[in-house]
Amino acid sequence: MANALMVVRELKESGEDVRLILDGAGVKWVSHWLDQDSQYGALFLEVRDRLAGVCRYCANAYGVAQRIEAAGFPFADQYKQHPSFRAMIAEGYQIITF
């Protein structure tokens, strides 16, 4: 996840329109980044404004949905409780996965 956060930060600093979507097991990291002792918490805070959503289905499956909701992070649930990557591609976004 550190690599994903670094890419988002680099693109953000360059003025690119970048969005971070957390899906699959990656949803567990949000809860970890919120802990004060998190190694990458500060980096996450730098790009938090680019977090477009956390997969609702996966957040429920991994048991972190309540913590994500309590922190005020948006869920990405446009397609059967999952993010709609088709919609992002239709908007012209390029998908990068880690």
Side-chain angles (χ1 to χ4, degrees), residues 37-54:
D37 295 333
S38 171
Q39 181 177 0
Y40 298 107
L43 179 56
F44 173 69
L45 291 177
E46 288 183 49
V47 300
R48 178 180 177 169
D49 62 324
R50 300 306 173 105
L51 180 63
V54 178

Side-chain angles (χ1 to χ4, degrees), residues 59-76:
N60 283 318
Y62 285 101
V64 295
Q66 288 182 332
R67 185 141 193 227
I68 289 168
E69 188 170 21
F73 297 121
F75 284 106

Side-chain angles (χ1 to χ4, degrees), residues 64-96:
V64 295
Q66 288 182 332
R67 185 141 193 227
I68 289 168
E69 188 170 21
F73 297 121
F75 284 106
D77 56 5
Q78 302 85 1
Y79 182 73
K80 300 182 181 187
Q81 295 191 15
H82 295 275
S84 175
F85 290 100
R86 186 214 54 81
M88 286 182 275
I89 292 168
E91 291 178 37
Y93 286 95
Q94 180 178 353
I95 309 297
I96 301 172

